[in-house]
């Protein structure tokens, strides 16, 4: 990471310095203003020399998949009982290329819809460029038709694994997202998109995963086992069912009176939130691989924090 440490007293041209980063910037009129800017993932801090401490409510980070936050709000505390707030507005940052997403479904496609809607409202810095489905008449395929998203039937007669790889490459797909896709991903696709294929599974892997564990079968098995907790898992895809590196999980309690349908609804609700959060991080290049091969999600607010 490149670091640029710039200090400008407010009596000089701090405003002019900041205007080089944004035309829409406002700087509070305080004396001895110091500004530190770190790039490319930069955080902007402002410190008033009269204050004993400065606390930042928001941080700024520039990620390759998205925009920076538009405002950083800081609190200058002279003592515990007397605090002054001021803010710096940074305006729009340089927009970087959105990621192209392929989504694979076999059923209703509720996670597909959640992801697509998040791309439309800007929560995810990406575009869904193609749907791949194993069932032409499924709800996910119908949603794609309604939204004008191109759809491909796979597996299908006359379309080999290498053909689907070629199709995705022609569409310049960056990431593949499995959202209730019940077929095993062919090794050709795994090799063509290393560390670029995600799946969401409705249990806390590695428990209740593998071939045959999908849909209500998972939730029935969880309840029958007496497990007190379940929840969705987002993991990278390898050549085996549900065995890729775990990226994120969300814990859901299993109630004593739960039916499989009730537990499924509770887990699915969390799936929609978790998958959107993870795909947003993926599109912003905030997935960091630890030395031992474990993937972590870098916080947007604090680049030094991971989950």
């Amino acid at each position: 990471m490149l670091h640029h440490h710039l200090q400008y007293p407010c009596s000089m041209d701090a405003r002019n310095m900041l205007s080089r980063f944004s035309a829409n910037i406002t700087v509070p009129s305080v004396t001895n203003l110091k500004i530190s800017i770190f790039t490319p993932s930069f955080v902007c801090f402002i410190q008033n020399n009269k204050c004993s401490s400065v606390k930042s409510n928001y941080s700024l980070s520039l990620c390759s998949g998205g925009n920076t936050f538009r405002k950083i709000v800081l609190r200058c505390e002279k003592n515990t009982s007397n605090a002054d707030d001021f803010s710096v507005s940074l305006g729009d940052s340089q927009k970087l290329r959105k990621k192209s997403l392929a989504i694979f479904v076999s059923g209703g496609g509720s996670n597909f819809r959640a992801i697509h809607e998040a791309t439309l409202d800007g929560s995810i810095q990406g575009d869904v460029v193609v749907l791949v489905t194993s069932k032409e008449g499924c709800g996910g395929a119908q949603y794609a038709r309604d939204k004008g998203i191109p759809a491909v039937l796979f597996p299908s007669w006359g379309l080999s694994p290498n053909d689907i790889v070629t199709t995705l490459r022609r569409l310049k797909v960056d990431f593949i997202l499995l959202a209730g896709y019940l077929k095993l991903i062919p090794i050709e696709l795994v090799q063509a998109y290393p560390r670029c294929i995600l799946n969401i599974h409705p249990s806390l892997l590695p428990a209740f995963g593998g071939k045959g564990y999908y849909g209500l079968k998972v939730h029935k098995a969880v309840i029958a086992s007496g497990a007190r907790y379940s929840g969705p898992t987002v993991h990278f895809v390898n050549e085996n069912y549900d065995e890729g590196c775990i990226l994120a999980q969300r814990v859901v309690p299993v109630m004593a009176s739960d039916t499989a349908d009730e537990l499924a609804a509770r887990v699915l609700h969390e799936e929609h939130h978790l998958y959107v959060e993870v795909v947003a991080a993926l599109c912003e290049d905030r997935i960091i691989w630890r030395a031992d091969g474990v993937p972590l999600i870098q916080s947007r607010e604090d680049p030094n924090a991971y989950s």
Side-chain angles (χ1 to χ4, degrees), residues 127-162:
D127 293 312
V128 179
V129 298
V130 65
L131 174 81
V132 177
T133 180
S134 63
K135 294 183 178 180
E136 191 174 8
C138 70
Q142 183 60 52
Y143 178 84
R145 286 191 287 269
D146 293 342
K147 298 299 180 180
I149 299 171
V152 176
L153 182 64
F154 181 80
S156 63
W157 293 107
L159 193 63
S160 70
N162 285 326

PDB file of all heavy atoms in Angstrom, residues 127-162:
ATOM      1  N   ASP A 127     -22.587  -6.208 -11.928  1.00  0.00           N
ATOM      2  CA  ASP A 127     -23.734  -6.386 -12.816  1.00  0.00           C
ATOM      3  C   ASP A 127     -23.939  -7.876 -13.070  1.00  0.00           C
ATOM      4  O   ASP A 127     -22.966  -8.600 -13.336  1.00  0.00           O
ATOM      5  CB  ASP A 127     -23.510  -5.682 -14.155  1.00  0.00           C
ATOM      6  CG  ASP A 127     -23.468  -4.168 -14.015  1.00  0.00           C
ATOM      7  OD1 ASP A 127     -24.368  -3.610 -13.358  1.00  0.00           O
ATOM      8  OD2 ASP A 127     -22.535  -3.546 -14.558  1.00  0.00           O
ATOM      9  N   VAL A 128     -25.182  -8.317 -12.989  1.00  0.00           N
ATOM     10  CA  VAL A 128     -25.499  -9.695 -13.345  1.00  0.00           C
ATOM     11  C   VAL A 128     -25.622  -9.760 -14.866  1.00  0.00           C
ATOM     12  O   VAL A 128     -26.554  -9.188 -15.443  1.00  0.00           O
ATOM     13  CB  VAL A 128     -26.803 -10.160 -12.674  1.00  0.00           C
ATOM     14  CG1 VAL A 128     -27.118 -11.597 -13.099  1.00  0.00           C
ATOM     15  CG2 VAL A 128     -26.694 -10.059 -11.152  1.00  0.00           C
ATOM     16  N   VAL A 129     -24.681 -10.443 -15.508  1.00  0.00           N
ATOM     17  CA  VAL A 129     -24.655 -10.445 -16.980  1.00  0.00           C
ATOM     18  C   VAL A 129     -25.237 -11.721 -17.572  1.00  0.00           C
ATOM     19  O   VAL A 129     -25.554 -11.759 -18.757  1.00  0.00           O
ATOM     20  CB  VAL A 129     -23.214 -10.230 -17.496  1.00  0.00           C
ATOM     21  CG1 VAL A 129     -22.686  -8.869 -17.058  1.00  0.00           C
ATOM     22  CG2 VAL A 129     -22.281 -11.348 -17.035  1.00  0.00           C
ATOM     23  N   VAL A 130     -25.396 -12.778 -16.740  1.00  0.00           N
ATOM     24  CA  VAL A 130     -25.957 -14.026 -17.259  1.00  0.00           C
ATOM     25  C   VAL A 130     -26.448 -14.885 -16.106  1.00  0.00           C
ATOM     26  O   VAL A 130     -25.891 -14.854 -15.002  1.00  0.00           O
ATOM     27  CB  VAL A 130     -24.918 -14.809 -18.104  1.00  0.00           C
ATOM     28  CG1 VAL A 130     -23.755 -15.282 -17.251  1.00  0.00           C
ATOM     29  CG2 VAL A 130     -25.568 -15.985 -18.843  1.00  0.00           C
ATOM     30  N   LEU A 131     -27.518 -15.623 -16.370  1.00  0.00           N
ATOM     31  CA  LEU A 131     -28.004 -16.651 -15.455  1.00  0.00           C
ATOM     32  C   LEU A 131     -27.744 -18.001 -16.092  1.00  0.00           C
ATOM     33  O   LEU A 131     -28.035 -18.201 -17.271  1.00  0.00           O
ATOM     34  CB  LEU A 131     -29.497 -16.489 -15.197  1.00  0.00           C
ATOM     35  CG  LEU A 131     -30.098 -17.622 -14.361  1.00  0.00           C
ATOM     36  CD1 LEU A 131     -29.837 -17.390 -12.885  1.00  0.00           C
ATOM     37  CD2 LEU A 131     -31.591 -17.789 -14.625  1.00  0.00           C
ATOM     38  N   VAL A 132     -27.205 -18.913 -15.313  1.00  0.00           N
ATOM     39  CA  VAL A 132     -27.046 -20.300 -15.750  1.00  0.00           C
ATOM     40  C   VAL A 132     -27.966 -21.144 -14.877  1.00  0.00           C
ATOM     41  O   VAL A 132     -27.931 -21.041 -13.644  1.00  0.00           O
ATOM     42  CB  VAL A 132     -25.588 -20.773 -15.618  1.00  0.00           C
ATOM     43  CG1 VAL A 132     -25.469 -22.248 -16.001  1.00  0.00           C
ATOM     44  CG2 VAL A 132     -24.673 -19.918 -16.495  1.00  0.00           C
ATOM     45  N   THR A 133     -28.817 -21.933 -15.488  1.00  0.00           N
ATOM     46  CA  THR A 133     -29.770 -22.730 -14.738  1.00  0.00           C
ATOM     47  C   THR A 133     -29.792 -24.170 -15.230  1.00  0.00           C
ATOM     48  O   THR A 133     -29.579 -24.434 -16.414  1.00  0.00           O
ATOM     49  CB  THR A 133     -31.190 -22.139 -14.834  1.00  0.00           C
ATOM     50  OG1 THR A 133     -32.097 -22.938 -14.078  1.00  0.00           O
ATOM     51  CG2 THR A 133     -31.654 -22.039 -16.279  1.00  0.00           C
ATOM     52  N   SER A 134     -30.028 -25.084 -14.292  1.00  0.00           N
ATOM     53  CA  SER A 134     -30.165 -26.492 -14.658  1.00  0.00           C
ATOM     54  C   SER A 134     -31.621 -26.868 -14.895  1.00  0.00           C
ATOM     55  O   SER A 134     -31.916 -27.992 -15.326  1.00  0.00           O
ATOM     56  CB  SER A 134     -29.583 -27.372 -13.544  1.00  0.00           C
ATOM     57  OG  SER A 134     -30.314 -27.187 -12.334  1.00  0.00           O
ATOM     58  N   LYS A 135     -32.545 -25.926 -14.599  1.00  0.00           N
ATOM     59  CA  LYS A 135     -33.978 -26.185 -14.778  1.00  0.00           C
ATOM     60  C   LYS A 135     -34.606 -24.995 -15.496  1.00  0.00           C
ATOM     61  O   LYS A 135     -34.775 -23.929 -14.912  1.00  0.00           O
ATOM     62  CB  LYS A 135     -34.657 -26.420 -13.429  1.00  0.00           C
ATOM     63  CG  LYS A 135     -34.185 -27.689 -12.722  1.00  0.00           C
ATOM     64  CD  LYS A 135     -34.946 -27.919 -11.422  1.00  0.00           C
ATOM     65  CE  LYS A 135     -34.503 -29.198 -10.745  1.00  0.00           C
ATOM     66  NZ  LYS A 135     -35.247 -29.436  -9.470  1.00  0.00           N
ATOM     67  N   GLU A 136     -34.976 -25.227 -16.731  1.00  0.00           N
ATOM     68  CA  GLU A 136     -35.458 -24.134 -17.589  1.00  0.00           C
ATOM     69  C   GLU A 136     -36.714 -23.466 -17.040  1.00  0.00           C
ATOM     70  O   GLU A 136     -36.924 -22.265 -17.231  1.00  0.00           O
ATOM     71  CB  GLU A 136     -35.730 -24.694 -18.991  1.00  0.00           C
ATOM     72  CG  GLU A 136     -35.989 -23.645 -20.039  1.00  0.00           C
ATOM     73  CD  GLU A 136     -36.114 -24.262 -21.418  1.00  0.00           C
ATOM     74  OE1 GLU A 136     -36.139 -25.505 -21.511  1.00  0.00           O
ATOM     75  OE2 GLU A 136     -36.191 -23.508 -22.401  1.00  0.00           O
ATOM     76  N   GLY A 137     -37.541 -24.228 -16.323  1.00  0.00           N
ATOM     77  CA  GLY A 137     -38.800 -23.679 -15.841  1.00  0.00           C
ATOM     78  C   GLY A 137     -38.784 -23.227 -14.396  1.00  0.00           C
ATOM     79  O   GLY A 137     -39.847 -22.947 -13.827  1.00  0.00           O
ATOM     80  N   CYS A 138     -37.625 -23.130 -13.774  1.00  0.00           N
ATOM     81  CA  CYS A 138     -37.567 -22.778 -12.356  1.00  0.00           C
ATOM     82  C   CYS A 138     -37.847 -21.289 -12.150  1.00  0.00           C
ATOM     83  O   CYS A 138     -37.805 -20.484 -13.089  1.00  0.00           O
ATOM     84  CB  CYS A 138     -36.220 -23.157 -11.746  1.00  0.00           C
ATOM     85  SG  CYS A 138     -34.834 -22.146 -12.311  1.00  0.00           S
ATOM     86  N   GLY A 139     -38.129 -20.924 -10.895  1.00  0.00           N
ATOM     87  CA  GLY A 139     -38.452 -19.541 -10.581  1.00  0.00           C
ATOM     88  C   GLY A 139     -37.320 -18.581 -10.885  1.00  0.00           C
ATOM     89  O   GLY A 139     -37.550 -17.438 -11.307  1.00  0.00           O
ATOM     90  N   GLY A 140     -36.092 -19.026 -10.676  1.00  0.00           N
ATOM     91  CA  GLY A 140     -34.943 -18.172 -10.975  1.00  0.00           C
ATOM     92  C   GLY A 140     -34.841 -17.856 -12.457  1.00  0.00           C
ATOM     93  O   GLY A 140     -34.542 -16.721 -12.843  1.00  0.00           O
ATOM     94  N   ALA A 141     -35.111 -18.851 -13.295  1.00  0.00           N
ATOM     95  CA  ALA A 141     -35.068 -18.633 -14.747  1.00  0.00           C
ATOM     96  C   ALA A 141     -36.170 -17.678 -15.180  1.00  0.00           C
ATOM     97  O   ALA A 141     -35.967 -16.826 -16.060  1.00  0.00           O
ATOM     98  CB  ALA A 141     -35.193 -19.965 -15.480  1.00  0.00           C
ATOM     99  N   GLN A 142     -37.348 -17.792 -14.567  1.00  0.00           N
ATOM    100  CA  GLN A 142     -38.447 -16.884 -14.902  1.00  0.00           C
ATOM    101  C   GLN A 142     -38.105 -15.454 -14.506  1.00  0.00           C
ATOM    102  O   GLN A 142     -38.389 -14.511 -15.245  1.00  0.00           O
ATOM    103  CB  GLN A 142     -39.726 -17.333 -14.194  1.00  0.00           C
ATOM    104  CG  GLN A 142     -40.945 -16.482 -14.538  1.00  0.00           C
ATOM    105  CD  GLN A 142     -41.257 -16.508 -16.021  1.00  0.00           C
ATOM    106  OE1 GLN A 142     -41.375 -17.582 -16.631  1.00  0.00           O
ATOM    107  NE2 GLN A 142     -41.395 -15.332 -16.642  1.00  0.00           N
ATOM    108  N   TYR A 143     -37.481 -15.289 -13.331  1.00  0.00           N
ATOM    109  CA  TYR A 143     -37.073 -13.954 -12.899  1.00  0.00           C
ATOM    110  C   TYR A 143     -36.082 -13.351 -13.902  1.00  0.00           C
ATOM    111  O   TYR A 143     -36.175 -12.170 -14.244  1.00  0.00           O
ATOM    112  CB  TYR A 143     -36.440 -14.029 -11.513  1.00  0.00           C
ATOM    113  CG  TYR A 143     -35.934 -12.700 -10.995  1.00  0.00           C
ATOM    114  CD1 TYR A 143     -36.793 -11.799 -10.369  1.00  0.00           C
ATOM    115  CD2 TYR A 143     -34.594 -12.338 -11.135  1.00  0.00           C
ATOM    116  CE1 TYR A 143     -36.331 -10.576  -9.895  1.00  0.00           C
ATOM    117  CE2 TYR A 143     -34.124 -11.114 -10.669  1.00  0.00           C
ATOM    118  CZ  TYR A 143     -35.000 -10.241 -10.051  1.00  0.00           C
ATOM    119  OH  TYR A 143     -34.542  -9.029  -9.588  1.00  0.00           O
ATOM    120  N   ALA A 144     -35.140 -14.155 -14.366  1.00  0.00           N
ATOM    121  CA  ALA A 144     -34.167 -13.664 -15.350  1.00  0.00           C
ATOM    122  C   ALA A 144     -34.875 -13.211 -16.626  1.00  0.00           C
ATOM    123  O   ALA A 144     -34.553 -12.157 -17.190  1.00  0.00           O
ATOM    124  CB  ALA A 144     -33.143 -14.753 -15.660  1.00  0.00           C
ATOM    125  N   ARG A 145     -35.841 -13.990 -17.078  1.00  0.00           N
ATOM    126  CA  ARG A 145     -36.583 -13.600 -18.291  1.00  0.00           C
ATOM    127  C   ARG A 145     -37.321 -12.295 -18.063  1.00  0.00           C
ATOM    128  O   ARG A 145     -37.341 -11.413 -18.924  1.00  0.00           O
ATOM    129  CB  ARG A 145     -37.554 -14.721 -18.687  1.00  0.00           C
ATOM    130  CG  ARG A 145     -36.887 -15.939 -19.313  1.00  0.00           C
ATOM    131  CD  ARG A 145     -37.909 -16.875 -19.924  1.00  0.00           C
ATOM    132  NE  ARG A 145     -38.655 -17.594 -18.898  1.00  0.00           N
ATOM    133  CZ  ARG A 145     -38.304 -18.773 -18.393  1.00  0.00           C
ATOM    134  NH1 ARG A 145     -37.206 -19.375 -18.829  1.00  0.00           N
ATOM    135  NH2 ARG A 145     -39.045 -19.367 -17.482  1.00  0.00           N
ATOM    136  N   ASP A 146     -37.935 -12.160 -16.888  1.00  0.00           N
ATOM    137  CA  ASP A 146     -38.687 -10.939 -16.587  1.00  0.00           C
ATOM    138  C   ASP A 146     -37.787  -9.707 -16.557  1.00  0.00           C
ATOM    139  O   ASP A 146     -38.233  -8.598 -16.901  1.00  0.00           O
ATOM    140  CB  ASP A 146     -39.396 -11.080 -15.240  1.00  0.00           C
ATOM    141  CG  ASP A 146     -40.499 -12.118 -15.266  1.00  0.00           C
ATOM    142  OD1 ASP A 146     -40.950 -12.487 -16.369  1.00  0.00           O
ATOM    143  OD2 ASP A 146     -40.914 -12.577 -14.171  1.00  0.00           O
ATOM    144  N   LYS A 147     -36.534  -9.888 -16.142  1.00  0.00           N
ATOM    145  CA  LYS A 147     -35.601  -8.764 -16.006  1.00  0.00           C
ATOM    146  C   LYS A 147     -34.708  -8.589 -17.224  1.00  0.00           C
ATOM    147  O   LYS A 147     -33.836  -7.709 -17.242  1.00  0.00           O
ATOM    148  CB  LYS A 147     -34.728  -8.946 -14.761  1.00  0.00           C
ATOM    149  CG  LYS A 147     -35.511  -8.982 -13.456  1.00  0.00           C
ATOM    150  CD  LYS A 147     -36.281  -7.687 -13.229  1.00  0.00           C
ATOM    151  CE  LYS A 147     -37.067  -7.709 -11.922  1.00  0.00           C
ATOM    152  NZ  LYS A 147     -37.815  -6.460 -11.693  1.00  0.00           N
ATOM    153  N   GLY A 148     -34.905  -9.417 -18.243  1.00  0.00           N
ATOM    154  CA  GLY A 148     -34.094  -9.294 -19.448  1.00  0.00           C
ATOM    155  C   GLY A 148     -32.665  -9.748 -19.284  1.00  0.00           C
ATOM    156  O   GLY A 148     -31.770  -9.295 -20.017  1.00  0.00           O
ATOM    157  N   ILE A 149     -32.422 -10.653 -18.342  1.00  0.00           N
ATOM    158  CA  ILE A 149     -31.072 -11.178 -18.109  1.00  0.00           C
ATOM    159  C   ILE A 149     -30.882 -12.432 -18.966  1.00  0.00           C
ATOM    160  O   ILE A 149     -31.703 -13.359 -18.888  1.00  0.00           O
ATOM    161  CB  ILE A 149     -30.863 -11.515 -16.618  1.00  0.00           C
ATOM    162  CG1 ILE A 149     -31.026 -10.257 -15.759  1.00  0.00           C
ATOM    163  CG2 ILE A 149     -29.490 -12.150 -16.386  1.00  0.00           C
ATOM    164  CD1 ILE A 149     -31.053 -10.539 -14.269  1.00  0.00           C
ATOM    165  N   PRO A 150     -29.857 -12.500 -19.791  1.00  0.00           N
ATOM    166  CA  PRO A 150     -29.636 -13.695 -20.617  1.00  0.00           C
ATOM    167  C   PRO A 150     -29.516 -14.948 -19.754  1.00  0.00           C
ATOM    168  O   PRO A 150     -28.934 -14.905 -18.661  1.00  0.00           O
ATOM    169  CB  PRO A 150     -28.314 -13.392 -21.334  1.00  0.00           C
ATOM    170  CG  PRO A 150     -28.178 -11.910 -21.278  1.00  0.00           C
ATOM    171  CD  PRO A 150     -28.828 -11.473 -19.996  1.00  0.00           C
ATOM    172  N   ALA A 151     -30.087 -16.046 -20.238  1.00  0.00           N
ATOM    173  CA  ALA A 151     -30.063 -17.297 -19.485  1.00  0.00           C
ATOM    174  C   ALA A 151     -29.504 -18.420 -20.347  1.00  0.00           C
ATOM    175  O   ALA A 151     -29.729 -18.464 -21.561  1.00  0.00           O
ATOM    176  CB  ALA A 151     -31.464 -17.654 -18.998  1.00  0.00           C
ATOM    177  N   VAL A 152     -28.773 -19.309 -19.688  1.00  0.00           N
ATOM    178  CA  VAL A 152     -28.178 -20.462 -20.364  1.00  0.00           C
ATOM    179  C   VAL A 152     -28.597 -21.717 -19.607  1.00  0.00           C
ATOM    180  O   VAL A 152     -28.526 -21.754 -18.369  1.00  0.00           O
ATOM    181  CB  VAL A 152     -26.639 -20.359 -20.383  1.00  0.00           C
ATOM    182  CG1 VAL A 152     -26.017 -21.614 -20.990  1.00  0.00           C
ATOM    183  CG2 VAL A 152     -26.190 -19.121 -21.138  1.00  0.00           C
ATOM    184  N   LEU A 153     -29.054 -22.733 -20.310  1.00  0.00           N
ATOM    185  CA  LEU A 153     -29.407 -24.009 -19.704  1.00  0.00           C
ATOM    186  C   LEU A 153     -28.169 -24.897 -19.659  1.00  0.00           C
ATOM    187  O   LEU A 153     -27.570 -25.208 -20.697  1.00  0.00           O
ATOM    188  CB  LEU A 153     -30.516 -24.688 -20.500  1.00  0.00           C
ATOM    189  CG  LEU A 153     -31.036 -26.024 -19.951  1.00  0.00           C
ATOM    190  CD1 LEU A 153     -31.695 -25.807 -18.585  1.00  0.00           C
ATOM    191  CD2 LEU A 153     -32.013 -26.667 -20.932  1.00  0.00           C
ATOM    192  N   PHE A 154     -27.783 -25.273 -18.432  1.00  0.00           N
ATOM    193  CA  PHE A 154     -26.606 -26.144 -18.272  1.00  0.00           C
ATOM    194  C   PHE A 154     -26.762 -26.965 -16.998  1.00  0.00           C
ATOM    195  O   PHE A 154     -27.109 -26.409 -15.957  1.00  0.00           O
ATOM    196  CB  PHE A 154     -25.320 -25.304 -18.188  1.00  0.00           C
ATOM    197  CG  PHE A 154     -24.083 -26.152 -18.050  1.00  0.00           C
ATOM    198  CD1 PHE A 154     -23.521 -26.754 -19.170  1.00  0.00           C
ATOM    199  CD2 PHE A 154     -23.512 -26.373 -16.814  1.00  0.00           C
ATOM    200  CE1 PHE A 154     -22.381 -27.553 -19.043  1.00  0.00           C
ATOM    201  CE2 PHE A 154     -22.381 -27.172 -16.680  1.00  0.00           C
ATOM    202  CZ  PHE A 154     -21.821 -27.757 -17.801  1.00  0.00           C
ATOM    203  N   PRO A 155     -26.499 -28.281 -17.053  1.00  0.00           N
ATOM    204  CA  PRO A 155     -26.082 -29.021 -18.252  1.00  0.00           C
ATOM    205  C   PRO A 155     -27.233 -29.191 -19.251  1.00  0.00           C
ATOM    206  O   PRO A 155     -28.390 -29.208 -18.873  1.00  0.00           O
ATOM    207  CB  PRO A 155     -25.635 -30.366 -17.686  1.00  0.00           C
ATOM    208  CG  PRO A 155     -26.266 -30.479 -16.354  1.00  0.00           C
ATOM    209  CD  PRO A 155     -26.551 -29.115 -15.854  1.00  0.00           C
ATOM    210  N   SER A 156     -26.860 -29.302 -20.511  1.00  0.00           N
ATOM    211  CA  SER A 156     -27.846 -29.510 -21.571  1.00  0.00           C
ATOM    212  C   SER A 156     -27.160 -30.229 -22.720  1.00  0.00           C
ATOM    213  O   SER A 156     -25.927 -30.231 -22.828  1.00  0.00           O
ATOM    214  CB  SER A 156     -28.422 -28.179 -22.049  1.00  0.00           C
ATOM    215  OG  SER A 156     -27.409 -27.373 -22.619  1.00  0.00           O
ATOM    216  N   TRP A 157     -27.967 -30.836 -23.578  1.00  0.00           N
ATOM    217  CA  TRP A 157     -27.408 -31.522 -24.731  1.00  0.00           C
ATOM    218  C   TRP A 157     -26.679 -30.533 -25.633  1.00  0.00           C
ATOM    219  O   TRP A 157     -27.164 -29.461 -25.930  1.00  0.00           O
ATOM    220  CB  TRP A 157     -28.508 -32.224 -25.531  1.00  0.00           C
ATOM    221  CG  TRP A 157     -29.135 -33.365 -24.795  1.00  0.00           C
ATOM    222  CD1 TRP A 157     -30.379 -33.416 -24.234  1.00  0.00           C
ATOM    223  CD2 TRP A 157     -28.537 -34.626 -24.539  1.00  0.00           C
ATOM    224  NE1 TRP A 157     -30.600 -34.618 -23.632  1.00  0.00           N
ATOM    225  CE2 TRP A 157     -29.473 -35.385 -23.813  1.00  0.00           C
ATOM    226  CE3 TRP A 157     -27.294 -35.199 -24.838  1.00  0.00           C
ATOM    227  CZ2 TRP A 157     -29.221 -36.699 -23.385  1.00  0.00           C
ATOM    228  CZ3 TRP A 157     -27.043 -36.486 -24.414  1.00  0.00           C
ATOM    229  CH2 TRP A 157     -27.989 -37.232 -23.694  1.00  0.00           C
ATOM    230  N   GLY A 158     -25.485 -30.891 -26.040  1.00  0.00           N
ATOM    231  CA  GLY A 158     -24.720 -30.065 -26.970  1.00  0.00           C
ATOM    232  C   GLY A 158     -23.902 -28.972 -26.311  1.00  0.00           C
ATOM    233  O   GLY A 158     -23.205 -28.228 -27.011  1.00  0.00           O
ATOM    234  N   LEU A 159     -23.974 -28.846 -24.971  1.00  0.00           N
ATOM    235  CA  LEU A 159     -23.196 -27.811 -24.279  1.00  0.00           C
ATOM    236  C   LEU A 159     -22.270 -28.484 -23.283  1.00  0.00           C
ATOM    237  O   LEU A 159     -22.706 -28.967 -22.242  1.00  0.00           O
ATOM    238  CB  LEU A 159     -24.128 -26.824 -23.569  1.00  0.00           C
ATOM    239  CG  LEU A 159     -23.498 -25.527 -23.065  1.00  0.00           C
ATOM    240  CD1 LEU A 159     -22.949 -24.703 -24.222  1.00  0.00           C
ATOM    241  CD2 LEU A 159     -24.521 -24.707 -22.286  1.00  0.00           C
ATOM    242  N   SER A 160     -20.989 -28.518 -23.599  1.00  0.00           N
ATOM    243  CA  SER A 160     -20.004 -29.179 -22.752  1.00  0.00           C
ATOM    244  C   SER A 160     -19.495 -28.222 -21.680  1.00  0.00           C
ATOM    245  O   SER A 160     -19.710 -27.004 -21.763  1.00  0.00           O
ATOM    246  CB  SER A 160     -18.821 -29.652 -23.605  1.00  0.00           C
ATOM    247  OG  SER A 160     -18.073 -28.528 -24.062  1.00  0.00           O
ATOM    248  N   PRO A 161     -18.794 -28.729 -20.654  1.00  0.00           N
ATOM    249  CA  PRO A 161     -18.181 -27.840 -19.658  1.00  0.00           C
ATOM    250  C   PRO A 161     -17.264 -26.801 -20.282  1.00  0.00           C
ATOM    251  O   PRO A 161     -17.245 -25.641 -19.856  1.00  0.00           O
ATOM    252  CB  PRO A 161     -17.419 -28.811 -18.751  1.00  0.00           C
ATOM    253  CG  PRO A 161     -18.185 -30.086 -18.838  1.00  0.00           C
ATOM    254  CD  PRO A 161     -18.661 -30.155 -20.249  1.00  0.00           C
ATOM    255  N   ASN A 162     -16.501 -27.205 -21.300  1.00  0.00           N
ATOM    256  CA  ASN A 162     -15.625 -26.231 -21.959  1.00  0.00           C
ATOM    257  C   ASN A 162     -16.433 -25.157 -22.692  1.00  0.00           C
ATOM    258  O   ASN A 162     -16.007 -23.998 -22.779  1.00  0.00           O
ATOM    259  CB  ASN A 162     -14.690 -26.944 -22.937  1.00  0.00           C
ATOM    260  CG  ASN A 162     -13.576 -27.688 -22.227  1.00  0.00           C
ATOM    261  OD1 ASN A 162     -13.091 -27.236 -21.187  1.00  0.00           O
ATOM    262  ND2 ASN A 162     -13.172 -28.824 -22.770  1.00  0.00           N
TER     263      ASN A 162
END
